[in-house]
Amino acid sequence: MAMTNELLRYFRAKEKERASETAAATQCPFCSVQCTLQLVEERIVERRRYKAVPTDNPTSNGRLCLKGMNAHQHALHPERLLVPLAKVDGRFVRVRWEEALSLIAERIISIQKEDGVDAFAVYGGGSLTNEEAYLLGKFARVALKTRHIDYNGRFCMSAAAAAMNDAFGLDRGLTNPLSDIPLAQTIILAGTNVAECQPTLMPYFDEAKKNGAFIIVVDPRETKTAALADLHLPLKPGTDAALAVGIGKVLLDEGYIDEAFVRERTVGFAEWKQHMEAVEMDEIVRLTDVPAEKIRLAARKYGEAAEAIVLTARGLEQQADGYAAVRQWINVVLAAGKVGRPGSGFGSITGQGNGQGGREHGQKADQLPGYRSIEHPQHRRYIASVWGVAPDELPRKGVSAYEMMQKIEAGEITGLLVMGSNPVVSSPNAAFVAKAMQKLKFLVVADMFLSETAELADLVLPVSSYLEDEGTVTNVEGRVCFRPAARKRPGEVKHDWEILCAIAHKLGKGRFFPFTSAEEIFNELRLASRGGKADYYGVTYERLRRERVYWPCPDPHHPGTPRLFTERFAHPDGKARFAVLPFRPEKEETDEWYPLYLTTGRVLAHYLSGTQTRRSPALSARQPEAVVEIHPRTAKRYGIGPGMLVRIETRRGAAVVRSRYNDQIREDTIFVPFHWSGLGQINNVTSDELDPHCRMPAFKRCAARVRPVVDLGRN
């Protein structure tokens, strides 16, 4: 027995010698909350196990959702691209980096010589770090001199960004810190499903509820967020602008206007008032299909509250009149004077991890770093001086993300670099996009995986994941956050910024891209943003290693700006603008052939095009395929049983998904998440109608019909 115990102790000691545990700091790569965590790697003999342990930060306060807990699974997935791949005779073969970079430079030069400088375009992503987003904009305008650059954030925040810029003079996702939410007596969530899209923010709303807040949710279906609501307004898809007008009408008619605020801090109220006085509530009810008494209750609860907050998101914004819908809600906020103080404000909840920072520093077609305008002479001069070029060398503004696809189809754009995005899945009318991209003379994609877009490429470049790529992102609150690199890069993987610098060198523009670290790029970004609306000059890596800093932050000693518009708005006169805009939807309508409204969105387990989350075993197991949520009575009317395969058809094409009964969705509406490709790719059928103000596509409403799939081979 003594010998047995001695042997046990011996083998346990040996196993302990061969077992170890390491932890590295990082943060979730997915939504705009940017929760922080420690990735713990356990090594026992020759086995490795990983787990994510949440860490504290002032935004999520030590919380981590399902996606963050399993994010490492895609980064460690065996399908990660580790070497450059070139397509030869229809098949991908390995090439050396030197060959890949030389090929890119040769094709850029030849395409721009043959078809013009603007024939080569750049398509970015809202998950790139601030450093890489900044460098991508500089690369397009200095190394390529092309006007054609945009990014998938066009499909995320463009409606709210344009509306907030025009109304307030400044676009930051939230005008208030998240800590203000529990101070509000009324909270309106319009077109946002926080419970599934930003679940670690839900405790803010739970706390507000405990404090007695009245929560109003505007959504065609009863989501997990709507389950928290005291009042759910299940409006007809695409009528958000009309509903906001109805709320404003009640505020005006029943005396809830803050006349002092309106007089001292706004312009345009008289025109708005005159317009609203002509609005008939019966028309609002007819358009929205929301009863008048519910509209009045929502308006009264908002108007009576000492402090109140309105938050919007993609459900409202991804419309052909998304800009107008946001402006109508901002009109409500301004009329009631509920902005610029603790517990009162407006916000659009950012979707992508760096959707905010991605648009602030140059990925959008019309913007330069610091939220400057590419058409403004003074802005052009300043950025040109930072970059060391003449102002007239900078190109003018280009077109939006989807319009670039239209130019590809028309033959005006013949070369494309895609970095951090998967437009073949994420674009509206995506089947059109896939066909258009096959017309390109040269397509290069930088990605971690062979995405649906990368499969069409002539050259695919392997890039680092969030675990390996040091840099900064700007979260939903407008806080700049530092993300350290937790692991070394595998294989021959490069950072996105390294690739851009290397291509620039091959093009003879290396002197403009001398960077050897992300911090060096960030320091130039700080200078480029200085004095702009999105001023990061006072933010440094040294400071970010200690704290998350709100922008604008114009000086290293400045504390940052948690709450905007406390005394002035960002227009030169310091005043916000009311807007008089149409509110009757001029969109694709249902008819006898297409009798249902199709709307799209997210589910908890997946993210955007699913390129990453569909490669996470834990997340894919939660929801392995696309489904259509349909009311049981609607389903029975069309002969659709629960769990049955369903063919969804619109005027653009068809998708096949599995049915899921939901008796809390409108009977005239079906809902499908957009995270899948193949037969279940719902963006193959969504509308490509664009908002005239911001070029946001109408993802959230189109006319559709459904029928059961009996035999896939005959449908």
Side-chain angles (χ1 to χ4, degrees):
M1 180 64 72
M3 178 60 73
T4 301
N5 289 338
E6 187 175 329
L7 284 171
L8 282 172
R9 284 194 294 272
Y10 171 79
F11 284 118
R12 284 173 180 164
K14 284 296 183 183
E15 184 174 289
K16 190 173 182 180
E17 288 176 11
R18 290 183 292 168
S20 63
E21 181 177 290
T22 59
T26 184
Q27 61 195 44
C28 176
F30 294 129
C31 85
S32 59
V33 181
Q34 290 297 293
C35 302
T36 51
L37 60 102
Q38 290 273 345
L39 182 64
V40 178
E41 179 182 344
E42 297 174 327
R43 301 185 186 184
I44 303 174
V45 191
E46 296 180 359
R47 292 185 295 115
R48 296 186 182 189
R49 294 186 302 186
Y50 298 88
K51 63 180 178 181
V53 179
T55 56
D56 195 29
N57 69 71
T59 302
S60 57
N61 296 310
R63 296 182 289 270
L64 197 61
C65 86
L66 180 73
K67 285 195 286 288
M69 290 171 62
N70 295 287
H72 59 277
Q73 291 182 347
H74 81 260
L76 303 174
H77 197 278
E79 290 181 8
R80 275 285 299 273
L81 297 175
L82 302 179
V83 297
L85 300 173
K87 191 172 284 180
V88 178
D89 297 328
R91 298 179 60 188
F92 283 113
V93 298
R94 178 177 181 172
V95 293
R96 295 183 296 109
W97 268 106
E98 183 62 27
E99 293 177 81
L101 295 170
S102 295
L103 176 61
I104 294 169
E106 289 168 9
R107 299 302 287 131
I108 289 172
I109 292 168
S110 66
I111 285 170
Q112 291 189 319
K113 183 177 180 180
E114 293 168 6
D115 303 329
V117 69
D118 294 325
F120 207 97
V122 175
Y123 193 110
S127 295
L128 298 178
T129 63
N130 286 321
E131 292 81 359
E132 287 156 348
Y134 167 80
L135 206 65
L136 192 64
K138 181 179 180 181
F139 174 83
R141 284 141 183 155
V142 175
L144 300 183
K145 295 186 180 297
T146 180
R147 70 172 61 211
H148 287 140
I149 175 173
D150 211 66
Y151 81 128
N152 62 15
R154 176 71 63 174
F155 304 151
C156 176
M157 292 291 294
S158 61
M164 293 177 76
N165 266 322
D166 290 348
F168 300 143
L170 180 70
D171 156 42
R172 194 181 77 184
L174 304 183
T175 64
N176 299 51
L178 288 164
S179 57
D180 272 11
I181 290 173
L183 306 178
Q185 282 90 56
T186 296
I187 299 169
I188 297 177
L189 298 170
T192 176
N193 183 12
V194 182
E196 294 193 77
C197 299
Q198 293 87 13
T200 56
L201 298 186
M202 283 303 287
Y204 288 105
F205 300 98
D206 292 333
E207 187 178 350
K209 187 98 170 168
K210 289 176 184 176
N211 292 341
F214 191 87
I215 296 180
I216 302 164
V217 171
V218 181
D219 201 297
R221 62 192 184 112
E222 186 172 309
T223 63
K224 292 179 180 178
T225 304
L228 179 72
D230 298 284
L231 177 63
H232 175 213
L233 304 179
L235 80 175
K236 187 185 297 182
T239 61
D240 300 84
L243 181 68
V245 168
I247 300 287
K249 170 74 171 173
V250 177
L251 294 181
L252 185 63
D253 289 350
E254 300 191 6
Y256 292 110
I257 306 300
D258 186 334
E259 294 181 2
F261 181 92
V262 167
R263 182 176 59 256
E264 296 166 9
R265 301 199 58 190
T266 72
V267 296
F269 176 76
E271 293 82 358
W272 178 78
K273 180 181 178 183
Q274 182 179 10
H275 176 70
M276 297 297 286
E277 286 172 343
V279 170
E280 296 291 339
M281 185 59 74
D282 287 347
E283 183 183 15
I284 300 298
V285 171
R286 180 183 62 80
L287 289 170
T288 64
D289 200 29
V290 177
E293 59 270 22
K294 287 193 173 184
I295 296 174
R296 290 192 177 95
L297 176 59
R300 288 165 185 161
K301 285 293 184 180
Y302 182 77
E304 292 167 357
E307 310 299 343
I309 291 174
V310 175
L311 298 173
T312 68
R314 307 304 83 71
L316 174 145
E317 298 158 15
Q318 286 183 326
Q319 307 277 2
D321 65 348
Y323 169 89
V326 178
R327 286 300 299 268
Q328 300 290 10
W329 276 110
I330 292 176
N331 286 340
V332 167
V333 171
L334 295 177
K338 291 182 169 63
V339 64
R341 61 178 188 262
S344 282
F346 174 83
S348 171
I349 300 179
T350 310
Q352 297 190 75
N354 198 30
Q356 181 74 50
R359 68 182 182 277
E360 291 167 1
H361 300 299
Q363 281 194 98
K364 278 183 73 176
D366 59 347
Q367 286 180 199
L368 291 171
Y371 231 123
R372 290 179 165 90
S373 167
I374 199 165
E375 294 296 317
H376 193 291
Q378 185 178 342
H379 295 180
R380 292 171 62 85
R381 283 195 298 272
Y382 179 76
I383 295 301
S385 71
V386 173
W387 287 349
V389 299
D392 59 4
E393 291 183 54
L394 295 178
R396 296 290 173 172
K397 70 178 180 180
V399 297
S400 71
Y402 187 77
E403 289 172 304
M404 287 206 305
M405 300 301 152
Q406 293 174 320
K407 285 185 175 290
I408 291 171
E409 197 278 334
E412 296 177 46
I413 293 175
T414 55
L416 181 67
L417 166 63
V418 177
M419 182 167 275
S421 191
N422 188 11
V424 167
V425 175
S426 61
S427 299
N429 195 11
F432 164 84
V433 171
K435 289 178 183 177
M437 293 183 77
Q438 292 175 56
K439 297 178 69 173
L440 288 164
K441 292 181 179 179
F442 186 66
L443 171 62
V444 55
V445 175
D447 207 322
M448 289 187 288
F449 298 101
L450 202 62
S451 70
E452 290 78 6
T453 302
E455 287 176 351
L456 302 179
D458 299 287
L459 184 66
V460 183
L461 307 176
V463 298
S464 53
S465 77
Y466 78 104
L467 290 178
E468 304 130 19
D469 190 17
E470 179 177 279
T472 65
V473 299
T474 305
N475 78 356
V476 62
E477 292 185 283
R479 290 184 192 256
V480 187
C481 316
F482 174 70
R483 185 182 71 197
R487 294 173 60 84
K488 292 182 179 179
R489 288 170 287 172
E492 297 176 20
V493 163
K494 290 185 182 293
H495 301 310
D496 294 279
W497 65 263
E498 288 180 313
I499 293 170
L500 294 173
C501 290
I503 298 172
H505 277 266
K506 284 287 184 182
L507 293 171
K509 302 295 178 66
R511 67 188 183 280
F512 301 109
F513 298 84
F515 309 107
T516 60
S517 70
E519 186 172 6
E520 288 180 6
I521 301 168
F522 188 76
N523 283 333
E524 184 175 289
L525 179 158
R526 291 173 56 224
L527 183 61
S529 74
R530 190 176 191 180
K533 291 182 177 181
D535 193 334
Y536 282 34
Y537 184 70
V539 185
T540 65
Y541 265 38
E542 179 183 6
R543 187 172 177 182
L544 290 174
R545 288 186 174 99
R546 302 190 306 268
E547 60 177 329
R548 293 180 162 195
V549 183
Y550 290 96
W551 72 263
C553 183
D555 181 89
H557 302 291
H558 191 281
T561 313
R563 186 176 297 103
L564 300 174
F565 315 135
T566 56
E567 297 177 1
R568 291 175 50 86
F569 291 96
H571 287 296
D573 62 2
K575 295 185 177 184
R577 271 64 172 152
F578 279 88
V580 175
L581 293 162
F583 60 86
R584 298 163 187 84
E586 297 178 3
K587 308 172 186 177
E588 185 170 291
E589 285 290 354
T590 56
D591 58 25
E592 61 178 324
W593 293 104
Y594 299 98
L596 300 174
Y597 293 108
L598 166 65
T599 190
T600 67
R602 298 186 187 185
V603 294
L604 175 61
H606 287 284
Y607 180 73
L608 298 187
S609 71
T611 304
Q612 297 170 8
T613 54
R614 283 187 275 123
R615 287 176 170 84
S616 166
L619 297 176
S620 286
R622 297 269 304 201
Q623 187 154 342
E625 61 181 352
V627 297
V628 54
E629 290 189 9
I630 187 169
H631 195 283
R633 284 193 287 271
T634 306
K636 290 172 184 174
R637 191 159 62 245
Y638 295 103
I640 296 168
M644 184 179 287
L645 285 177
V646 178
R647 183 179 176 89
I648 301 172
E649 297 175 339
T650 74
R651 295 179 174 96
R652 286 151 296 280
V656 176
V657 298
R658 199 170 297 281
S659 70
R660 177 183 291 170
Y661 281 11
N662 178 1
D663 61 5
Q664 298 301 314
I665 193 171
R666 291 176 55 93
E667 291 186 41
D668 62 357
T669 301
I670 56 175
F671 167 84
V672 183
F674 53 67
H675 311 293
W676 284 269
S677 61
L679 285 175
Q681 183 172 333
I682 200 62
N683 275 334
N684 278 338
V685 306
T686 50
S687 173
D688 58 2
E689 184 180 2
L690 302 180
D691 185 298
H693 296 273
C694 62
R695 317 312 286 165
M696 170 72 84
F699 288 104
K700 289 298 187 284
R701 167 170 152 158
C702 66
R705 64 187 178 210
V706 296
R707 59 190 173 102
V709 173
V710 179
D711 183 346
L712 279 174
R714 294 188 309 199
N715 279 264

